[in-house]
Amino acid sequence: MRYAIIGPGALGCLLAAALGDQHEVWLLDHDPTRAAQLNQQQILLTKNGRERPIPIRATANPADLAGIDCGLLCVKSKAVAQALTRSLPGLGGCRLIIAFENGIAHLEVIPALLQKIPWAVGVTGLGATLTGPGQIRFGGEGLTRMGFLAAEPDAPTIALLTAVANDFRQSGLPTEISMNILGPIWDKLLINCGINALTAIRNCPNGDLLNDSETISMLTTAVKEGEAVAKTLGVSITPDPVERTMAVCRATAANISSMLQDVRRHRPTEIDAINGAVVHLAETLGLPSEMNRELTRQIRNLEESAPLFP
Ligand code: KPL
C-alpha cells in the first residue's frame, strides 16, 4: 500500500515511522526546507531510550503524491481546510482519506472539501512528542480505531479501510474498525478535555495531573461537563470517562500533551476544537460548562501572551 501522511507533526511522524518499515510512505510538508531536511535525515524515533532512523520520503510538492492509495490527515484541527485544499490536486488517485485530528471541529469542515474522495475518521490513543523536525519520542501505547462517519461507503472503500487497519496492526499499532466511530471520537474528546488544557496551563507532563487533588477535581469537572453533552446528544460513549482519562494520564505519564507542545512552540492550540467545542454545544443545549469555559479562557490567554507562529 502507498500512503501519504499529510502533516509532519508528532502523530504524522509516528505513523510514518510505524508504517515506513513495510510500506511506501510519503510525508507531505507545506515547508519545502523542512521536507528536504526530512528526506535526508529520515524519521528519528526514540522508543525505550533507543533512537532508530526509519526511511520515508518527504515532499512539499503535492504532485509527488499521485498514485497513493490512502492519505492519513495528521494536521492540526485548524489547518485541515488549508492542508486539504493544498494537497487535493496531488491526491487524484487516492481512494481513501483518514482524518486523525483531535476534537470535533474538523468533522464539520471535511465533508464540503472531500466530496470526491471517501473519508473516514481515525481516533488514536497513541502518544508521541515531537522533539525536532522528524524527531519523535514515543509517549505511550494506545488503541487506534477507524470508521466511517458519513453514509455507508461502497464495498471497495470498506475493504480498503480494513486493509489499512491490517497494515496498522502488522506495523505494531493495535487497531480496530469501529462501526460507531462517533463514540470513540467523543471518548477521545472527553480525554482531551480533561488532559490537554490542564497540562498546558500547569506546564506538566500528562501523569503529573494526578499529583494534586485540585487538578484532579478540575479534570473531573471538565470531563463530566463533556460527558453530559455527549449523553444529551445521544452519543454512545464508553462508561466512566473520568476514570479512563486518569488511566490515560497514567499510561502516557511522561508524554507532553499536544496542547502543551503547541503552547511551548508558540503555535495556535486546538482549544476551540476541544474544550471550546464542548462549551459551544453545552450552551446550545442549556447545559453547564463553567470548567471548560475557564480552561478555554486560560488557554486563549496563554496563546495571546506569546507571539504565535501558524
Ligand atoms: O491525545 C493526546 C494529546 O496529547 O493530544 C493525549 C491522549 C492526551 C496524549 O498526550
Side-chain angles (χ1 to χ4, degrees), residues 267-281:
R267 288 181 188 275
T269 71
E270 294 185 305
I271 193 71
D272 291 335
I274 302 174
N275 306 78
V278 166
V279 173
H280 174 70
L281 287 168

Side-chain angles (χ1 to χ4, degrees), residues 91-111:
L91 293 172
C94 175
R95 294 178 286 137
L96 178 65
I97 290 191
I98 309 177
F100 277 94
E101 281 61 41
N102 273 333
I104 48 176
H106 60 296
L107 306 178
E108 313 228 320
V109 177
I110 292 177

Side-chain angles (χ1 to χ4, degrees), residues 146 177 181 204 281:
M146 299 170 177
I177 298 285
I181 195 69
C204 69
L281 287 168

